[in-house]
Amino acid sequence: MHMTFLIIPLVYALLKVIDTTIRDGQQSLFATRVKIEDILPVLEKMDQVGFYGLEAWGGATFDACMRYLNEDPWDRLRRIKRGLKRTKVVMLLRGKNLVGYKHYPDEVVEEFVKKAFENGVDVFRIFDALNDVNNLRKAVSSAKSVGAEVHGDVVYTISPIHTVDHFIEVAKKIAELGVDAIRIKDMAGLLAPRVAYDIVRGIRKETGLPVGLHCHYTCGLASLSYMKGIEAGAEFIDTALFPFAFGASQPAIETIYEALRGTGHLAHLNIELINECADYFESVREKYRGYTSDATERIDPRALRHQIPGGMLSNLVVQLKEYNALSKLELVLKEVPIVRRDLGYPPLVTPMSQIVGTQAVMNVITGVRYGMLIKELENYVRGFYGRPPGEISRELMDRVKPADPPKELSFKDIPEDVRNFFKKEEDALTYLLFPQIAVPFLKGDLKTLMPNVKENRKDIKWFRVKIGDEEIEVKIESES
């Protein structure tokens, strides 16, 4: 008796890999200080690797280009776009906040998205810190109207109200906006493998859209979560070349490639070119080593307890040093979850990480919880940042007095003497987003403020603090 066996080969979907090296990788590990001159020489080679896209713009890069590098962010985008023939340019957009830290009127959102697309952005990845879908609506519709690809982000965090079902419901609402894909944004590296599997599977089932995973390596879970997410059907993953990977950044593509070798998932990537690009960035890394820190480079599972992203942790250290109170760090780490709870469990991502962290420091330094309220926290309680995920504590609701929303500046509000410095249409947007830094930059004066790259840089941040009925400004200055 002869038996015939039919061998059916396994078919694996090709994973779409978005490389974060020149945006989130360098932002997470090197304080967004990598200059365009260190990016351009390797773009042609990266373009041949087979990446779906390079995340190259957005996030903190817009501000940092001017503030620290004396570079025009629009020019930086155009130059990156010119260096890529096959690979899509990807940007991170903070919904109504764009690339800033407050809400902007619809006409500014629409014009910014239009100009970003014209200058080279192919894919917009849009998130809101509170997962308030209303804050995504205008940015998504603007990007779709110009013909861009749009990925809507579900911001991941852990709290009593942030369940798997909660995230799936957020994804369903985002899908209704007409996005092309849903991305799970795990900025603190808290996403556990099993939870990743359940969320990816649930979103795919309920929306029918492709799902992407963006996980930071802060707690050491990211690669494991990618494996389970891929098993559940994730089609996009974010990785970085290894010199700019791990720690507060994303998993290294080299590691993921080896983990999936033989499956066919990454058969379209050229590993030899990946290694050559990594060798290049290894040399670049040496140039910017002075901007690294233990808080961003190492894996720290303590974040699973306090849920503080690496970048936020380093900022807390800076603030406490300014007050000569670094010994109180453990108290602040215990205070952050309390402040977050009282605010309705917002995810700790910009700008909420700054608001929660600074208020926690104030609580510990003064020794009186909420004895001093920063202005940004008051505006959050008033609803000016959007709808909180949960209920705000009654104490804070009673403490914060009603007020009118801050004025949203638009094009008509730009002074004529400032317009005289504009050389292109995009300069108006630059001014509206960052007026204090844009004026000296556009005038050409900012270069005189730039220290040598080998010198210690000072980061200066101002926070408005209320003591009783009196409002003062607190200056936090640190060397980085």
Side-chain angles (χ1 to χ4, degrees):
M1 180 179 178
H2 295 282
M3 299 183 66
T4 302
F5 294 93
L6 179 62
I7 300 177
I8 302 175
L10 293 175
V11 178
Y12 293 91
L14 295 179
L15 276 171
K16 299 178 178 70
V17 179
I18 294 179
D19 180 86
T20 65
T21 302
I22 62 176
R23 209 289 298 174
D24 204 9
Q26 64 119 344
Q27 179 176 319
S28 298
L29 298 182
F30 304 103
T32 328
R33 298 302 206 275
V34 178
K35 296 183 177 181
I36 188 65
E37 66 194 47
D38 292 317
I39 293 173
L40 294 178
V42 76
L43 281 183
E44 182 178 356
K45 190 168 288 185
M46 293 183 77
D47 193 35
Q48 301 299 315
V49 166
F51 293 129
Y52 184 83
L54 296 190
E55 190 184 64
W57 212 57
T61 59
F62 194 100
D63 178 17
C65 274
M66 295 183 292
R67 190 180 303 273
Y68 301 117
L69 309 181
N70 198 28
E71 292 180 8
D72 187 321
W74 300 99
D75 178 65
R76 183 181 177 104
L77 171 58
R78 288 191 295 271
R79 296 175 76 181
I80 290 172
K81 179 63 176 177
R82 285 196 296 267
L84 301 174
K85 308 302 181 187
R86 304 168 53 185
T87 312
K88 298 182 180 185
V89 174
V90 182
M91 83 159 292
L92 180 69
L93 193 74
R94 299 169 180 155
K96 281 181 67 69
N97 287 4
L98 297 176
V99 290
Y101 306 98
K102 61 182 180 180
H103 285 181
Y104 297 94
D106 285 352
E107 63 178 7
V108 174
V109 173
E110 185 174 3
E111 185 66 11
F112 182 91
V113 170
K114 175 186 172 185
K115 288 300 179 184
F117 180 74
E118 290 177 357
N119 281 273
V121 173
D122 300 300
V123 181
F124 290 84
R125 309 211 283 195
I126 305 174
F127 80 94
D128 176 69
L130 302 177
N131 281 325
D132 186 341
V133 177
N134 287 327
N135 288 340
L136 305 177
R137 203 172 300 278
K138 187 60 181 179
V140 170
S141 64
S142 298
K144 293 299 293 182
S145 69
V146 298
E149 183 176 334
V150 180
H151 297 187
D153 282 6
V154 175
V155 179
Y156 181 77
T157 189
I158 298 174
S159 83
I161 65 174
H162 288 96
T163 63
V164 169
D165 288 341
H166 169 87
F167 294 118
I168 294 172
E169 286 301 311
V170 172
K172 288 166 63 176
K173 293 177 182 177
I174 294 174
E176 291 173 358
L177 301 180
V179 299
D180 300 292
I182 300 290
R183 185 177 69 140
I184 302 166
K185 180 178 175 63
D186 174 27
M187 65 282 171
L190 303 174
L191 184 61
R194 182 67 207 187
V195 179
Y197 180 92
D198 291 341
I199 294 177
V200 170
R201 184 176 62 173
I203 292 175
R204 282 180 54 80
K205 178 182 177 182
E206 295 295 329
T207 70
L209 290 174
V211 179
L213 283 170
H214 172 93
C215 298
H216 288 248
Y217 217 87
T218 316
C219 300
L221 291 172
S223 292
L224 299 172
S225 297
Y226 278 12
M227 293 299 107
K228 290 299 289 185
I230 293 166
E231 182 183 328
E235 297 182 31
F236 289 89
I237 59 170
D238 284 7
T239 62
L241 296 167
F242 89 85
F244 281 40
F246 301 120
S249 181
Q250 283 75 52
I253 181 56
E254 297 88 341
T255 302
I256 301 298
Y257 186 93
E258 290 302 323
L260 295 174
R261 186 186 286 273
T263 66
H265 281 308
L266 298 178
H268 56 300
L269 299 187
N270 187 322
I271 189 62
E272 287 77 19
L273 285 179
I274 288 174
N275 291 334
E276 291 177 18
C277 293
D279 289 343
Y280 172 83
F281 277 106
E282 183 67 16
S283 63
V284 171
R285 177 186 175 85
E286 291 303 311
K287 182 175 179 179
Y288 296 95
R289 183 173 292 279
Y291 294 110
T292 61
S293 69
D294 287 343
T296 57
E297 287 211 305
R298 68 176 179 172
I299 294 173
D300 187 357
R302 288 181 301 173
L304 292 167
R305 287 182 278 156
H306 53 59
Q307 299 181 31
I308 297 175
M312 180 179 175
L313 180 61
S314 60
N315 285 335
L316 293 176
V317 170
V318 166
Q319 293 180 36
L320 289 171
K321 283 183 178 178
E322 180 68 21
Y323 287 108
N324 195 27
L326 191 56
S327 61
K328 297 183 182 293
L329 178 59
E330 287 301 319
L331 292 176
V332 171
L333 293 181
K334 292 178 181 178
E335 185 68 14
V336 165
I338 296 172
V339 175
R340 180 171 176 253
R341 178 202 64 198
D342 290 347
L343 293 178
Y345 297 106
L348 295 178
V349 65
T350 301
M352 294 313 305
S353 55
Q354 290 88 341
I355 294 173
V356 172
T358 304
Q359 186 63 58
V361 169
M362 293 300 175
N363 291 354
V364 170
I365 294 297
T366 62
V368 180
R369 184 170 294 150
Y370 307 128
M372 301 168 59
L373 295 181
I374 63 172
K375 188 70 173 179
E376 288 77 8
L377 181 138
E378 291 186 315
N379 285 339
Y380 170 85
V381 172
R382 294 179 180 122
F384 297 162
Y385 285 90
R387 183 177 179 177
E391 292 186 6
I392 298 175
S393 75
R394 176 49 54 187
E395 177 188 357
L396 286 175
M397 294 294 291
D398 292 341
R399 282 282 310 278
V400 177
K401 298 177 182 178
D404 293 329
K407 179 178 174 58
E408 294 182 346
L409 296 181
S410 193
F411 298 103
K412 67 180 185 302
D413 301 306
I414 301 175
E416 195 59 38
D417 61 330
V418 173
R419 293 181 185 273
N420 294 333
F421 298 111
F422 295 171
K423 297 179 181 178
K424 57 184 182 299
E425 293 179 348
E426 291 84 354
D427 290 342
L429 290 163
T430 300
Y431 172 79
L432 288 173
L433 291 170
F434 299 102
Q436 291 182 327
I437 197 71
V439 171
F441 175 78
L442 295 172
K443 289 171 65 176
D445 294 341
L446 196 58
K447 58 189 175 185
T448 62
L449 305 177
M450 292 291 295
N452 186 284
V453 71
K454 294 182 180 179
E455 296 176 0
N456 286 335
R457 301 178 185 273
K458 286 192 174 181
D459 291 335
I460 300 175
K461 298 180 181 178
W462 290 89
F463 294 94
R464 290 181 291 280
V465 178
K466 200 168 187 180
I467 307 178
D469 292 326
E470 182 180 358
E471 187 174 300
I472 64 172
E473 286 190 325
V474 177
K475 175 183 175 185
I476 297 179
E477 181 178 300
S478 64
E479 291 190 351
S480 58

